[in-house]
Amino acid sequence: MFNAITITMVRVLDQDEALDFYVGKLGFKIDDDVDMGFMRWLTISLPSDPGRQLLLEVPGPPAMSEQTAAQVRDLLTKGALGASAILTTDDCQNVYDTLTARGVEFTQGVEVQPYGIDCAFRDPFGNHIRVTQPAEQPTAVTDEDRARWCSPAGS
């Protein structure tokens, strides 16, 4: 029926600032940057995975009313819209060190998880992005893992 997921939307508040972050700091490349009149169609992808794009979209008309867009922007800046992307790598610690040196602020340092090694950060708008180095052999989730994952943020 379907062949692939090719475009996933990431809501941003400023597309030029988003390009500075995603292209300038994270290493994405611009695929499309088209002024459609009613919106700017802006997609990016990883050079190593050109078939999957992120659409960097500003919440607003015509996709939603101005009132709804204001609510979405408020939730976005609070980081309340959940994970936007999970990026995989062969070396999570290297990604963490490299991006930290580029000024990316992490919300979670490098941690060993049952599924691999990961860390997390937010983009300048509040989107959660995780970086995962998948485990060669995932381990069972423990009660300690569940307790750690269920503790409130910042505790």
Side-chain angles (χ1 to χ4, degrees), residues 20-28 46 87 99 102 104 121 129:
D20 288 344
F21 184 77
Y22 284 92
V23 175
K25 290 189 177 182
L26 302 187
F28 282 76
L46 291 169
L87 308 173
L99 295 183
R102 292 178 184 171
V104 174
F121 59 90
I129 300 170

Side-chain angles (χ1 to χ4, degrees), residues 18-69:
L19 284 179
D20 288 344
F21 184 77
Y22 284 92
V23 175
K25 290 189 177 182
L26 302 187
F28 282 76
K29 67 177 181 63
I30 298 171
D31 290 316
D32 297 300
D33 189 355
V34 180
D35 180 356
M36 299 177 70
F38 63 93
M39 70 174 286
R40 181 179 176 190
W41 181 264
L42 180 59
T43 62
I44 59 172
S45 65
L46 291 169
S48 61
D49 192 13
R52 288 190 197 166
Q53 299 174 322
L54 297 180
L55 170 63
L56 303 175
E57 185 174 272
V58 176
M64 60 185 71
S65 70
E66 196 49 58
Q67 180 182 14
T68 299

Side-chain angles (χ1 to χ4, degrees), residues 14-133:
D14 181 295
Q15 290 172 309
D16 290 324
E17 187 177 355
L19 284 179
D20 288 344
F21 184 77
Y22 284 92
V23 175
K25 290 189 177 182
L26 302 187
F28 282 76
K29 67 177 181 63
I30 298 171
D31 290 316
D32 297 300
D33 189 355
V34 180
D35 180 356
M36 299 177 70
F38 63 93
M39 70 174 286
R40 181 179 176 190
W41 181 264
L42 180 59
T43 62
I44 59 172
S45 65
L46 291 169
S48 61
D49 192 13
R52 288 190 197 166
Q53 299 174 322
L54 297 180
L55 170 63
L56 303 175
E57 185 174 272
V58 176
M64 60 185 71
S65 70
E66 196 49 58
Q67 180 182 14
T68 299
Q71 293 169 333
V72 169
R73 288 191 294 269
D74 186 47
L75 290 172
L76 174 62
T77 57
K78 292 177 179 173
L81 295 182
S84 295
I86 299 174
L87 308 173
T88 58
T89 180
D90 294 329
D91 188 346
C92 191
Q93 184 66 55
N94 184 49
V95 169
Y96 178 86
D97 293 343
T98 299
L99 295 183
T100 297
R102 292 178 184 171
V104 174
E105 295 182 24
F106 281 78
T107 56
Q108 176 203 306
V110 176
E111 292 185 14
V112 176
Q113 306 283 1
Y115 50 83
I117 301 170
D118 74 356
C119 57
F121 59 90
R122 289 187 186 177
D123 73 6
F125 315 103
N127 291 302
H128 293 268
I129 300 170
R130 299 198 70 83
V131 178
T132 300
Q133 177 183 333

